[in-house]
Amino acid sequence: MKIAVVGATGMVGTVMLKILAERNFPLTELLLVASERSTGKEILFKDTRLRIISIEDALAAKPAIAIFSAGGDTSLKWAPKFALAGTTVIDNSSVWRMDPSKKLIVPEINANILTKEDKIIANPNCSTIQMVMALAPLHKKYSMRRVIVSTYQSVSGTGAKAVQQMENEQNGIQGAMAYPHQIHRNVIPQCDVFEENGYTKEEMKLALEPQKILNDSSFSISATAVRIPTSGGHSESVNVEFVRDFTIDQVRTILDQTPGIILQDNPATNTYPMPMFAHGKDAVFVGRLRRDDTQKNTLNMWIVSDNLRKGAATNAVQIAEHLAKHGLT
Ligand code: A2P
Protein backbone atom coordinates (compact mmCIF):
# COMPACT_ATOMS: atom_id res chain seq x y z
CA MET A 1 0.00 0.00 0.00
CA LYS A 2 1.31 3.46 -0.94
CA ILE A 3 1.25 5.70 2.13
CA ALA A 4 2.10 9.39 2.57
CA VAL A 5 3.03 10.94 5.90
CA VAL A 6 2.42 14.68 5.78
CA GLY A 7 4.43 16.41 8.51
CA ALA A 8 7.05 13.65 8.55
CA THR A 9 9.68 15.81 10.26
CA GLY A 10 7.43 16.93 13.13
CA MET A 11 7.05 15.52 16.65
CA VAL A 12 4.11 13.28 15.76
CA GLY A 13 5.38 12.54 12.22
CA THR A 14 8.69 11.24 13.56
CA VAL A 15 6.89 8.85 15.91
CA MET A 16 4.54 7.88 13.06
CA LEU A 17 7.52 6.64 11.00
CA LYS A 18 8.84 4.70 13.97
CA ILE A 19 5.46 3.02 14.47
CA LEU A 20 4.98 2.20 10.76
CA ALA A 21 8.39 0.48 10.90
CA GLU A 22 7.77 -1.27 14.24
CA ARG A 23 4.40 -2.67 13.20
CA ASN A 24 5.66 -3.69 9.77
CA PHE A 25 2.83 -1.86 8.06
CA PRO A 26 2.27 -3.41 4.57
CA LEU A 27 3.97 -0.64 2.56
CA THR A 28 4.75 -0.66 -1.13
CA GLU A 29 5.94 2.93 -1.05
CA LEU A 30 6.31 5.56 1.67
CA LEU A 31 6.05 9.22 0.69
CA LEU A 32 7.45 11.68 3.21
CA VAL A 33 6.14 15.23 3.10
CA ALA A 34 7.16 18.31 5.07
CA SER A 35 7.22 22.05 4.47
CA GLU A 36 9.21 23.70 1.68
CA ARG A 37 12.16 24.25 3.99
CA SER A 38 12.62 20.48 4.38
CA THR A 39 11.98 19.38 0.78
CA GLY A 40 14.96 17.43 -0.58
CA LYS A 41 16.34 16.47 2.84
CA GLU A 42 16.57 12.76 3.64
CA ILE A 43 15.12 10.67 6.47
CA LEU A 44 16.15 7.13 7.36
CA PHE A 45 13.22 4.66 7.35
CA LYS A 46 14.20 1.12 8.29
CA ASP A 47 17.45 0.85 6.26
CA THR A 48 16.48 3.16 3.43
CA ARG A 49 17.12 6.86 3.03
CA LEU A 50 13.94 8.54 1.79
CA ARG A 51 13.87 12.01 0.30
CA ILE A 52 11.28 14.47 1.58
CA ILE A 53 8.95 15.60 -1.18
CA SER A 54 6.53 18.50 -1.53
CA ILE A 55 2.87 18.10 -0.74
CA GLU A 56 2.05 18.78 -4.42
CA ASP A 57 4.24 15.85 -5.49
CA ALA A 58 2.63 13.59 -2.87
CA LEU A 59 -0.84 14.55 -4.12
CA ALA A 60 0.16 13.76 -7.71
CA ALA A 61 1.50 10.35 -6.60
CA LYS A 62 -2.04 9.36 -5.46
CA PRO A 63 -1.22 7.42 -2.29
CA ALA A 64 -3.92 5.08 -0.97
CA ILE A 65 -3.67 6.71 2.47
CA ALA A 66 -2.20 10.04 3.61
CA ILE A 67 -1.68 10.52 7.33
CA PHE A 68 -1.61 14.24 8.09
CA SER A 69 0.12 15.74 11.10
CA ALA A 70 1.21 19.13 9.83
CA GLY A 71 -1.19 21.46 11.63
CA GLY A 72 -4.75 22.58 11.00
CA ASP A 73 -4.06 25.00 8.16
CA THR A 74 -2.32 22.33 6.07
CA SER A 75 -5.16 19.88 6.75
CA LEU A 76 -7.86 22.40 5.87
CA LYS A 77 -6.20 23.29 2.60
CA TRP A 78 -4.87 19.91 1.46
CA ALA A 79 -6.98 17.10 2.91
CA PRO A 80 -9.95 17.83 0.57
CA LYS A 81 -7.60 17.82 -2.46
CA PHE A 82 -6.20 14.41 -1.50
CA ALA A 83 -9.72 13.11 -0.82
CA LEU A 84 -10.85 14.33 -4.25
CA ALA A 85 -7.93 12.47 -5.85
CA GLY A 86 -9.13 9.25 -4.19
CA THR A 87 -6.70 9.18 -1.26
CA THR A 88 -8.06 8.40 2.21
CA VAL A 89 -6.80 11.03 4.64
CA ILE A 90 -6.30 10.26 8.32
CA ASP A 91 -6.04 13.66 9.92
CA ASN A 92 -4.39 14.37 13.22
CA SER A 93 -5.41 18.04 13.43
CA SER A 94 -8.60 19.25 15.07
CA VAL A 95 -10.12 20.89 12.00
CA TRP A 96 -12.38 18.01 10.87
CA ARG A 97 -13.09 16.34 14.20
CA MET A 98 -16.46 17.87 14.95
CA ASP A 99 -17.58 18.10 11.29
CA PRO A 100 -20.74 15.97 11.20
CA SER A 101 -19.75 14.55 7.80
CA LYS A 102 -16.40 13.22 9.12
CA LYS A 103 -15.91 10.29 11.47
CA LEU A 104 -13.85 10.55 14.65
CA ILE A 105 -12.19 7.22 15.30
CA VAL A 106 -10.53 5.32 18.12
CA PRO A 107 -10.12 1.91 16.45
CA GLU A 108 -10.76 -0.17 19.60
CA ILE A 109 -14.09 1.64 20.01
CA ASN A 110 -15.64 2.58 16.68
CA ALA A 111 -13.53 1.56 13.65
CA ASN A 112 -16.50 -0.63 12.65
CA ILE A 113 -18.36 2.47 11.38
CA LEU A 114 -15.75 3.21 8.68
CA THR A 115 -16.65 2.61 5.05
CA LYS A 116 -14.91 3.08 1.69
CA GLU A 117 -16.73 6.39 1.33
CA ASP A 118 -14.89 7.96 4.30
CA LYS A 119 -12.16 9.92 2.57
CA ILE A 120 -11.25 12.20 5.49
CA ILE A 121 -11.10 10.44 8.85
CA ALA A 122 -10.35 12.41 12.00
CA ASN A 123 -7.94 11.26 14.70
CA PRO A 124 -9.15 12.53 18.10
CA ASN A 125 -7.28 14.79 20.49
CA CYS A 126 -4.52 13.07 22.49
CA SER A 127 -6.14 13.64 25.89
CA THR A 128 -9.50 12.48 24.54
CA ILE A 129 -8.12 9.20 23.17
CA GLN A 130 -6.60 7.97 26.42
CA MET A 131 -9.64 9.03 28.47
CA VAL A 132 -12.23 7.51 26.14
CA MET A 133 -10.25 4.25 25.92
CA ALA A 134 -10.84 3.75 29.66
CA LEU A 135 -14.36 5.22 29.72
CA ALA A 136 -15.82 3.26 26.77
CA PRO A 137 -15.95 -0.22 28.35
CA LEU A 138 -17.23 1.21 31.66
CA HIS A 139 -19.87 3.31 29.89
CA LYS A 140 -21.12 0.20 28.13
CA LYS A 141 -21.63 -1.56 31.45
CA TYR A 142 -22.68 1.22 33.84
CA SER A 143 -23.74 4.17 31.59
CA MET A 144 -21.95 7.43 32.37
CA ARG A 145 -23.91 10.43 33.61
CA ARG A 146 -21.13 12.95 34.23
CA VAL A 147 -17.34 13.07 33.99
CA ILE A 148 -15.00 15.58 35.62
CA VAL A 149 -11.46 15.45 34.27
CA SER A 150 -8.30 17.39 35.11
CA THR A 151 -5.32 16.81 32.85
CA TYR A 152 -1.58 17.04 33.47
CA GLN A 153 -0.22 17.37 29.94
CA SER A 154 3.37 17.21 28.75
CA VAL A 155 5.01 19.83 26.59
CA SER A 156 5.52 17.41 23.67
CA GLY A 157 1.79 17.77 23.00
CA THR A 158 2.37 21.36 21.93
CA GLY A 159 5.14 20.48 19.46
CA ALA A 160 8.85 20.90 19.00
CA LYS A 161 8.85 24.61 19.88
CA ALA A 162 7.48 23.89 23.36
CA VAL A 163 10.01 21.15 24.09
CA GLN A 164 12.70 23.65 23.06
CA GLN A 165 11.24 26.32 25.36
CA MET A 166 11.39 23.97 28.34
CA GLU A 167 14.94 22.87 27.54
CA ASN A 168 16.06 26.48 27.10
CA GLU A 169 14.56 27.43 30.45
CA GLN A 170 16.21 24.43 32.14
CA ASN A 171 19.55 25.61 30.76
CA GLY A 172 19.04 29.31 31.45
CA ILE A 173 18.92 30.19 27.74
CA GLN A 174 16.62 32.95 26.43
CA GLY A 175 14.69 31.71 23.39
CA ALA A 176 11.37 31.62 21.57
CA MET A 177 8.31 31.07 23.75
CA ALA A 178 5.63 28.50 22.86
CA TYR A 179 3.64 29.35 26.01
CA PRO A 180 2.62 32.70 27.49
CA HIS A 181 4.63 31.80 30.65
CA GLN A 182 7.71 29.91 31.75
CA ILE A 183 6.94 26.17 31.87
CA HIS A 184 10.12 24.97 33.67
CA ARG A 185 9.35 24.65 37.41
CA ASN A 186 5.81 25.82 36.71
CA VAL A 187 2.30 24.54 36.02
CA ILE A 188 0.19 26.39 33.43
CA PRO A 189 -3.59 26.00 33.67
CA GLN A 190 -3.99 26.68 29.95
CA CYS A 191 -3.69 24.23 27.03
CA ASP A 192 -4.30 25.92 23.69
CA VAL A 193 -6.23 29.20 23.36
CA PHE A 194 -9.26 30.39 25.31
CA GLU A 195 -12.77 30.30 23.89
CA GLU A 196 -15.52 32.80 24.67
CA ASN A 197 -17.01 30.60 27.39
CA GLY A 198 -13.81 30.79 29.49
CA TYR A 199 -12.72 27.25 28.66
CA THR A 200 -9.69 26.50 26.53
CA LYS A 201 -9.96 24.76 23.16
CA GLU A 202 -8.33 21.65 24.67
CA GLU A 203 -10.97 21.56 27.42
CA MET A 204 -13.77 21.80 24.87
CA LYS A 205 -12.23 18.96 22.85
CA LEU A 206 -12.25 16.79 25.98
CA ALA A 207 -15.87 17.77 26.64
CA LEU A 208 -17.22 17.17 23.13
CA GLU A 209 -15.14 14.55 21.31
CA PRO A 210 -16.08 11.57 23.56
CA GLN A 211 -19.79 12.08 22.82
CA LYS A 212 -19.07 11.84 19.11
CA ILE A 213 -16.76 8.80 19.46
CA LEU A 214 -19.26 6.95 21.66
CA ASN A 215 -22.19 8.21 19.54
CA ASP A 216 -24.01 9.17 22.71
CA SER A 217 -24.86 12.57 24.17
CA SER A 218 -26.54 11.26 27.30
CA PHE A 219 -23.52 12.13 29.45
CA SER A 220 -21.64 15.38 29.99
CA ILE A 221 -17.96 16.14 30.59
CA SER A 222 -16.35 19.06 32.38
CA ALA A 223 -12.61 19.49 31.82
CA THR A 224 -9.65 21.45 33.17
CA ALA A 225 -6.55 21.05 31.00
CA VAL A 226 -3.18 21.85 32.55
CA ARG A 227 0.33 21.92 31.09
CA ILE A 228 3.12 20.54 33.31
CA PRO A 229 6.88 20.46 32.75
CA THR A 230 7.23 16.83 31.66
CA SER A 231 8.58 16.07 28.20
CA GLY A 232 6.26 13.19 27.22
CA GLY A 233 3.10 11.43 28.43
CA HIS A 234 -0.21 12.95 29.48
CA SER A 235 -1.87 12.14 32.82
CA GLU A 236 -5.50 12.59 33.81
CA SER A 237 -7.47 12.55 37.03
CA VAL A 238 -10.93 11.37 36.05
CA ASN A 239 -14.08 11.32 38.20
CA VAL A 240 -17.02 9.46 36.65
CA GLU A 241 -20.58 9.27 37.88
CA PHE A 242 -22.50 6.30 36.45
CA VAL A 243 -26.22 5.61 36.24
CA ARG A 244 -25.71 2.06 37.51
CA ASP A 245 -23.65 0.98 40.50
CA PHE A 246 -20.38 -0.94 40.27
CA THR A 247 -17.80 -2.56 42.49
CA ILE A 248 -14.12 -1.74 42.22
CA ASP A 249 -13.41 -5.41 41.56
CA GLN A 250 -15.83 -5.42 38.61
CA VAL A 251 -14.25 -2.22 37.22
CA ARG A 252 -10.82 -3.76 37.60
CA THR A 253 -11.91 -6.89 35.73
CA ILE A 254 -13.50 -4.90 32.89
CA LEU A 255 -10.44 -2.69 32.40
CA ASP A 256 -8.11 -5.66 32.69
CA GLN A 257 -9.97 -7.40 29.86
CA THR A 258 -10.04 -4.34 27.57
CA PRO A 259 -7.53 -4.55 24.70
CA GLY A 260 -5.21 -1.55 24.76
CA ILE A 261 -5.58 -0.93 28.51
CA ILE A 262 -3.02 -1.95 31.12
CA LEU A 263 -4.06 -1.83 34.74
CA GLN A 264 -1.38 -0.56 37.14
CA ASP A 265 -3.13 -0.40 40.46
CA ASN A 266 -1.56 -1.61 43.68
CA PRO A 267 -1.24 0.86 46.54
CA ALA A 268 0.65 -1.75 48.59
CA THR A 269 3.57 -1.55 46.16
CA ASN A 270 3.08 2.13 45.19
CA THR A 271 2.07 0.94 41.73
CA TYR A 272 0.17 3.37 39.55
CA PRO A 273 0.56 4.82 36.04
CA MET A 274 3.20 7.49 35.47
CA PRO A 275 4.39 9.20 32.28
CA MET A 276 7.90 7.88 32.81
CA PHE A 277 6.63 4.29 32.45
CA ALA A 278 4.16 5.02 29.65
CA HIS A 279 6.87 6.56 27.48
CA GLY A 280 7.43 4.66 24.22
CA LYS A 281 4.48 2.33 24.84
CA ASP A 282 1.20 2.05 22.93
CA ALA A 283 -1.11 1.16 25.82
CA VAL A 284 -3.29 3.35 28.00
CA PHE A 285 -2.39 2.83 31.67
CA VAL A 286 -5.08 3.05 34.37
CA GLY A 287 -4.77 3.01 38.14
CA ARG A 288 -5.70 4.66 41.47
CA LEU A 289 -9.13 3.06 41.14
CA ARG A 290 -11.32 4.06 44.07
CA ARG A 291 -14.89 4.95 44.90
CA ASP A 292 -15.79 8.59 45.28
CA ASP A 293 -17.74 8.29 48.51
CA THR A 294 -19.17 11.81 48.27
CA GLN A 295 -21.92 10.68 45.89
CA LYS A 296 -23.61 7.58 44.47
CA ASN A 297 -22.13 5.34 41.71
CA THR A 298 -19.00 7.45 41.31
CA LEU A 299 -15.47 6.32 40.46
CA ASN A 300 -12.08 8.03 40.63
CA MET A 301 -9.22 6.92 38.42
CA TRP A 302 -5.88 8.04 37.01
CA ILE A 303 -5.09 7.55 33.33
CA VAL A 304 -1.69 7.93 31.64
CA SER A 305 -0.55 7.38 28.07
CA ASP A 306 2.22 8.40 25.69
CA ASN A 307 0.52 11.31 23.94
CA LEU A 308 2.65 11.03 20.80
CA ARG A 309 1.88 7.31 20.45
CA LYS A 310 -1.68 6.16 21.38
CA GLY A 311 -2.62 9.84 21.71
CA ALA A 312 -1.64 10.52 18.09
CA ALA A 313 0.60 8.37 15.87
CA THR A 314 -0.38 4.87 17.05
CA ASN A 315 -4.07 5.65 16.84
CA ALA A 316 -3.63 7.01 13.28
CA VAL A 317 -1.60 3.97 12.19
CA GLN A 318 -4.21 1.65 13.74
CA ILE A 319 -6.86 3.40 11.62
CA ALA A 320 -4.68 2.85 8.54
CA GLU A 321 -4.26 -0.81 9.49
CA HIS A 322 -8.03 -1.19 9.80
CA LEU A 323 -8.54 0.38 6.35
CA ALA A 324 -5.87 -1.90 4.84
CA LYS A 325 -7.20 -5.04 6.52
CA HIS A 326 -10.79 -4.44 5.43
CA GLY A 327 -10.02 -3.09 1.94
CA LEU A 328 -11.58 0.29 2.74
CA THR A 329 -9.39 2.58 0.64
P1 A2P B 1 8.93 21.22 8.55
O1 A2P B 1 9.76 20.40 9.50
O2 A2P B 1 9.54 21.27 7.20
O3 A2P B 1 8.55 22.56 9.09
P2 A2P B 1 5.38 19.98 14.69
O4 A2P B 1 3.95 19.66 14.97
O5 A2P B 1 6.32 19.15 15.50
O6 A2P B 1 5.67 21.45 14.76
O7 A2P B 1 5.62 19.53 13.13
C1 A2P B 1 4.87 20.04 12.06
C2 A2P B 1 5.16 19.24 10.80
O8 A2P B 1 4.35 19.75 9.72
C3 A2P B 1 6.59 19.31 10.29
O9 A2P B 1 6.94 18.09 9.69
C4 A2P B 1 6.51 20.43 9.26
O10 A2P B 1 7.56 20.40 8.31
C5 A2P B 1 5.19 20.09 8.62
N1 A2P B 1 4.58 21.19 7.88
C6 A2P B 1 4.35 22.45 8.29
N2 A2P B 1 3.77 23.18 7.33
C7 A2P B 1 3.63 22.37 6.24
C8 A2P B 1 3.11 22.51 4.92
N3 A2P B 1 2.58 23.66 4.51
N4 A2P B 1 3.15 21.45 4.08
C9 A2P B 1 3.67 20.27 4.50
N5 A2P B 1 4.18 20.06 5.75
C10 A2P B 1 4.16 21.08 6.60
Side-chain angles (χ1 to χ4, degrees), residues 81-94:
K81 295 184 204 280
F82 277 74
L84 201 66
T87 296
T88 303
V89 173
I90 301 168
D91 185 43
N92 205 44
S93 83
S94 61

Side-chain angles (χ1 to χ4, degrees), residues 187-199:
V187 162
I188 304 177
Q190 176 188 355
C191 295
D192 211 331
V193 295
F194 281 98
E195 300 207 334
E196 272 179 13
N197 62 3
Y199 285 83

Side-chain angles (χ1 to χ4, degrees), residues 6-14 33-39 41 52-55 69-71 73-74 77-78 156-161:
V6 180
T9 51
M11 295 230 62
V12 174
T14 306
V33 179
S35 75
E36 269 169 20
R37 70 188 177 99
S38 306
T39 309
K41 288 183 188 163
I52 295 171
I53 62 172
S54 69
I55 199 159
S69 198
D73 292 343
T74 306
K77 180 171 173 196
W78 289 94
S156 65
T158 314
K161 195 178 160 196

Side-chain angles (χ1 to χ4, degrees), residues 3-238:
I3 301 280
V5 174
V6 180
T9 51
M11 295 230 62
V12 174
T14 306
V15 177
M16 197 92 74
L17 299 185
K18 225 191 244 176
I19 290 169
L20 285 169
E22 273 172 25
R23 294 170 78 102
N24 261 320
F25 189 90
L27 291 166
T28 52
E29 195 180 345
L30 180 60
L31 307 170
L32 303 185
V33 179
S35 75
E36 269 169 20
R37 70 188 177 99
S38 306
T39 309
K41 288 183 188 163
E42 285 184 336
I43 291 183
L44 196 64
F45 179 78
K46 292 189 173 170
D47 289 330
T48 314
R49 302 200 75 81
L50 297 175
R51 198 173 286 275
I52 295 171
I53 62 172
S54 69
I55 199 159
E56 289 87 352
D57 286 349
L59 174 63
K62 292 189 188 294
I65 296 175
I67 308 179
F68 273 59
S69 198
D73 292 343
T74 306
S75 294
L76 259 185
K77 180 171 173 196
W78 289 94
K81 295 184 204 280
F82 277 74
L84 201 66
T87 296
T88 303
V89 173
I90 301 168
D91 185 43
N92 205 44
S93 83
S94 61
V95 297
W96 306 108
R97 289 185 193 147
M98 297 312 292
D99 181 330
S101 69
K102 312 283 184 292
K103 292 175 185 164
L104 186 60
I105 300 292
V106 176
E108 290 88 342
I109 300 171
N110 64 343
N112 61 310
I113 64 172
L114 289 172
T115 69
K116 255 188 157 154
E117 280 63 53
D118 295 309
K119 287 295 169 203
I120 299 179
I121 300 165
N123 208 40
N125 170 265
C126 45
S127 303
T128 301
I129 293 176
Q130 64 181 69
M131 181 173 72
V132 85
M133 279 283 291
L135 292 181
L138 300 175
H139 180 53
K140 212 170 173 180
K141 183 83 197 262
Y142 305 114
S143 191
M144 296 188 290
R145 202 195 296 276
R146 180 170 186 243
V147 177
I148 297 172
V149 51
S150 298
T151 69
Y152 304 67
Q153 301 187 206
S154 68
V155 295
S156 65
T158 314
K161 195 178 160 196
V163 176
Q164 191 60 56
Q165 178 188 329
M166 187 170 77
E167 282 173 8
N168 284 344
E169 289 167 353
Q170 284 165 345
N171 296 315
I173 298 166
Q174 286 271 344
M177 298 282 282
Y179 301 118
H181 303 280
Q182 173 183 316
I183 183 66
H184 175 52
R185 293 191 168 160
N186 198 12
V187 162
I188 304 177
Q190 176 188 355
C191 295
D192 211 331
V193 295
F194 281 98
E195 300 207 334
E196 272 179 13
N197 62 3
Y199 285 83
T200 60
K201 251 178 128 170
E202 185 83 357
E203 289 162 349
M204 294 314 294
K205 290 171 191 171
L206 273 157
L208 300 175
E209 291 179 15
Q211 295 188 342
K212 180 163 177 178
I213 296 162
L214 296 171
N215 189 29
D216 189 344
S217 54
S218 66
F219 60 87
S220 46
I221 299 180
S222 181
T224 302
V226 179
R227 193 70 63 188
I228 61 165
T230 47
S231 56
H234 288 353
S235 306
E236 298 174 339
S237 164
V238 181

